Amino acid sequence: GAGVSQTPSNKVTEKGKYVELRCDPISGHTALYWYRQSLGQGPEFLIYFQGTGAADDSGLPNDRFFAVRPEGSVSTLKIQRTERGDSAVYLCASSQTGTSPQYFGPGTRLLVL
Amino acid sequence: RKEVEQDPGPFNVPEGATVAFNCTYSNSASQSFFWYRQDCRKEPKLLMSVYSSGNEDGRFTAQLNRASQYISLLIRDSKLSDSATYLCVVNTGAGRRALTFGSGTRLQVQP
């Protein structure tokens, strides 16, 4: 079946701009996660949704980052006033329940110039 | 100290070799353990879960030592296609669902 999909696959923006990254989880998966991966590092947790609600947003680095999942399926990660340090691969994962294995999408490569 | 620590490698081994990776984690309350594989510029993919009794999946064997907070992955009869970065992953439990990743160990299998 279809895996997790993410759009766009690449995004180049200028410092100070606003970006939105989209994640389409595996159909039927109630849990959705956002991670960020910098070069040479493992992914770092940002936020976890169970259904429509953010069950854990402890990984969001600051208030420029925000994520929504209004209908419990597709999620959007929003970054305001982007900074060069935001450049990374943003990975989305989903799982059938909160305790099931997590399956990752291909990621969005964000480059802030 | 990082929550999950791994030797970054690279481990360069010939085809057919046996190679072992180790990982330590700092949170003694951690409840779930995994190995993920990540190819260059690709997403992490679940390789296997790690159980307290140890578990095997074909050429791959994973072991967990809770007392030492240590996880291992053994790959037997290495294939060229095993070349990738192997990520040690922990779920710290206590109601949290987030995964904590190590920085990965790079494996290069050579012909």
Side-chain angles (χ1 to χ4, degrees):
Chain A
V4 178
S5 62
Q6 292 185 246
T7 55
S9 52
N10 293 280
K11 176 71 177 177
V12 181
T13 191
E14 292 179 345
K15 181 174 177 294
K17 299 288 189 185
Y18 168 82
V19 296
E20 288 190 353
L21 312 179
R22 176 188 165 110
C23 172
D24 228 309
I26 293 171
S27 177
H29 280 195
T30 61
L32 184 146
Y33 311 78
W34 285 99
Y35 293 82
R36 176 168 76 172
Q37 186 172 24
S38 301
L39 198 61
Q41 301 298 315
E44 292 181 320
F45 169 74
L46 296 176
I47 186 169
Y48 154 56
F49 286 90
Q50 182 59 50
T52 59
D56 182 354
D57 64 358
S58 62
L60 294 177
N62 52 58
D63 62 6
R64 295 187 297 105
F65 288 74
F66 189 70
V68 295
R69 193 185 186 202
E71 296 177 0
S73 178
V74 170
S75 176
T76 305
L77 178 67
K78 309 179 182 199
I79 310 174
Q80 298 178 320
R81 304 183 305 281
T82 51
E83 299 177 358
R84 291 195 182 89
D86 297 336
S87 298
V89 177
Y90 288 80
L91 293 162
C92 177
S94 72
S95 64
Q96 196 162 24
T97 68
T99 56
S100 306
Q102 297 181 24
Y103 297 93
F104 284 80
T108 293
R109 280 178 177 72
L110 176 66
L111 177 61
V112 182
L113 300 176
Chain B
R1 183 187 171 188
K2 286 187 178 179
E3 288 191 62
V4 180
E5 299 215 46
Q6 297 182 250
D7 180 343
F11 283 57
N12 294 303
V13 303
E15 268 187 291
T18 295
V19 61
F21 306 138
N22 304 318
C23 160
T24 57
Y25 60 95
S26 61
N27 189 332
S28 59
S30 297
Q31 296 184 354
S32 305
F33 309 89
F34 309 91
W35 284 101
Y36 275 72
R37 171 199 167 121
Q38 187 170 29
D39 293 286
C40 189
R41 299 183 67 81
K42 298 288 189 183
E43 71 272 24
K45 292 187 177 175
L46 178 64
L47 180 65
M48 58 197 302
S49 301
V50 186
Y51 302 113
S52 296
S53 54
N55 48 298
E56 190 174 303
D57 183 0
R59 297 181 294 108
F60 299 84
T61 301
Q63 293 200 311
L64 167 65
N65 183 323
R66 285 188 184 270
S68 303
Q69 294 177 211
Y70 171 99
I71 307 162
S72 66
L73 177 68
L74 183 79
I75 305 176
R76 288 182 300 279
D77 188 23
S78 300
K79 312 289 185 195
L80 294 175
S81 57
D82 294 334
S83 297
T85 295
Y86 290 82
L87 297 162
C88 178
V89 185
V90 172
N91 170 265
T92 54
R96 295 202 70 217
R97 303 294 179 228
L99 297 177
T100 302
F101 286 77
S103 297
T105 299
R106 194 155 63 90
L107 171 66
Q108 184 67 47
V109 181
Q110 296 165 337

